[in-house]
């Protein structure tokens, strides 16, 4: 038979193991439907929702365990008219639930690391894989800096011609220079694989000037990584 002290310890341990997971709220403030996708990293099990439809004006939730790392994005222009479910931007394996498939770039990403035991969380909005729609990630509760990171601008509107992704004659997304040209100086690879060697370019600056809080290229860390501790929840807004 378990003695009382062991039982208390188990109850306390279980309380701790459930604490500090993050509740993620998705809000669609766009005038159009968005199909969010979620991807859990580090070979961990996927969340209970990996892809779903979020009509304009609607909200939905998903919980993460702790620790957790992964990313969120919003697909646009999805339809089943070709006989399968495909999206004009940020498609994930031709299915509504992404089931472990990532977003096909260009895609705006919200990246999140939920630390164990109320430790320091990291989060950001990234245009490293390009941009498809305005997005923000904002912590609620928690302690520390806990500032929202926001990319509210429509970067499709003035996307340089050589970076545009078009669909039916319309610019639906804006590629990063790494994606468009696949060159080491844009992708921060090879001899450009360090923060000292890989610098902003005229292309990354197109993104940075309009969305200063978002990552515009791989080593854009200083101005683009945000932190919050003590188990905040998060709201991810499309078209904030
Ligand atoms: C996060 O959301 C959960 C569920 O709604 C709530 O119980 C918890 O207090 C929230 N945490 C913070 C830090 O606001």
């Amino acid at each position: 038979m378990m003695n009382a002290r062991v039982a208390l310890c188990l109850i306390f341990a279980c309380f701790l193991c459930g604490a500090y997971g993050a509740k993620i709220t998705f809000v669609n403030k766009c005038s159009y439907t968005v199909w969010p996708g979620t991807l859990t990293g580090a070979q961990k099990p996927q969340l209970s929702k990996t892809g779903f439809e979020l009509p304009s004006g609607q909200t939905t939730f998903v919980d993460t365990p702790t620790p957790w790392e992964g990313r969120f994005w919003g697909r646009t222009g999805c339809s089943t008219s070709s006989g399968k479910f495909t999206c004009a931007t940020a498609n994930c394996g031709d299915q509504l639930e992404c089931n472990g498939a990532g977003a096909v770039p260009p895609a705006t990403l919200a990246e999140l690391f939920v630390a164990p035991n109320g430790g320091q969380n990291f989060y950001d909005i990234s245009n490293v894989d390009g941009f498809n729609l305005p997005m923000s990630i904002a912590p609620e509760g928690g302690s520390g800096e806990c500032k929202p990171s926001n990319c509210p601008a429509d970067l499709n509107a003035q996307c340089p011609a050589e970076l545009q992704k078009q669909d039916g004659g319309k610019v639906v997304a804006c590629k990063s220079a790494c994606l468009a040209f696949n060159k080491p100086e844009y992708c921060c690879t090879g001899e450009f694989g360090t923060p000292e060697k890989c610098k902003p370019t005229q292309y990354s600056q197109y993104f940075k000037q309009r969305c200063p809080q978002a990552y515009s290229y791989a080593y854009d860390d200083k101005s683009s990584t945000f932190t919050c501790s003590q188990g905040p929840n998060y709201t991810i807004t499309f078209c904030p």
Side-chain angles (χ1 to χ4, degrees):
M1 209 174 82
M2 243 193 296
N3 71 37
R5 192 177 293 172
V6 171
L8 266 178
C9 274
L10 282 177
I11 288 165
F12 188 60
C14 232
F15 170 74
L16 276 184
C17 76
Y20 300 120
K23 178 184 183 182
I24 314 290
T25 304
F26 295 88
V27 180
N28 182 7
K29 292 193 180 167
C30 302
S31 59
Y32 46 86
T33 299
V34 173
W35 288 263
T38 77
L39 180 66
T40 301
Q43 275 91 50
K44 296 277 177 60
Q46 296 298 320
L47 300 178
S48 61
K49 290 179 189 152
T50 61
F52 51 93
E53 182 175 335
L54 190 62
S56 176
Q58 302 223 338
T59 294
T60 196
F61 308 93
V62 67
D63 287 313
T64 75
T66 174
W68 187 82
E69 65 181 270
R71 48 178 55 178
F72 307 101
W73 65 94
R75 292 166 285 175
T76 62
C78 302
S79 86
T80 51
S81 60
S82 68
K84 55 188 181 185
F85 182 89
T86 59
C87 304
T89 70
N91 199 42
C92 60
D94 289 340
Q95 51 197 344
L96 177 60
E97 292 265 356
C98 297
N99 290 317
V104 174
T108 316
L109 300 174
E111 302 178 300
L112 173 62
F113 169 69
V114 180
N117 304 321
Q120 192 169 54
N121 292 2
F122 295 90
Y123 54 95
D124 62 76
I125 297 289
S126 173
N127 296 137
V128 173
D129 284 339
F131 171 98
N132 69 324
L133 81 176
M135 251 178 114
S136 67
I137 179 168
E140 285 147 27
S143 71
E145 291 208 5
C146 301
K147 291 185 184 139
S149 178
N150 197 354
C151 176
D154 177 11
L155 301 189
N156 295 333
Q158 293 171 293
C159 180
E162 57 272 42
L163 302 183
Q164 291 176 2
K165 178 187 162 108
Q166 298 204 7
D167 187 67
K170 206 174 140 236
V171 180
V172 292
C174 192
K175 296 173 197 167
S176 62
C178 173
L179 189 62
F181 309 119
N182 194 24
K183 292 223 175 98
E185 63 263 44
Y186 297 128
C187 299
C188 303
T189 52
E191 63 173 300
F192 294 91
T194 64
E196 293 72 36
K197 292 279 168 56
C198 202
K199 294 294 177 193
T201 64
Q202 54 159 326
Y203 292 115
S204 71
Q205 277 163 0
Y206 169 76
F207 294 90
K208 199 68 187 175
Q209 279 161 9
R210 290 159 181 82
C211 281
Q213 295 172 349
Y215 267 83
S216 60
Y217 72 105
Y219 288 118
D220 199 4
D221 301 55
K222 282 205 182 72
S223 54
S224 317
T225 299
F226 293 72
T227 60
C228 190
S229 302
Q230 297 299 323
N233 293 319
Y234 292 89
T235 298
I236 290 175
T237 305
F238 300 105
C239 305

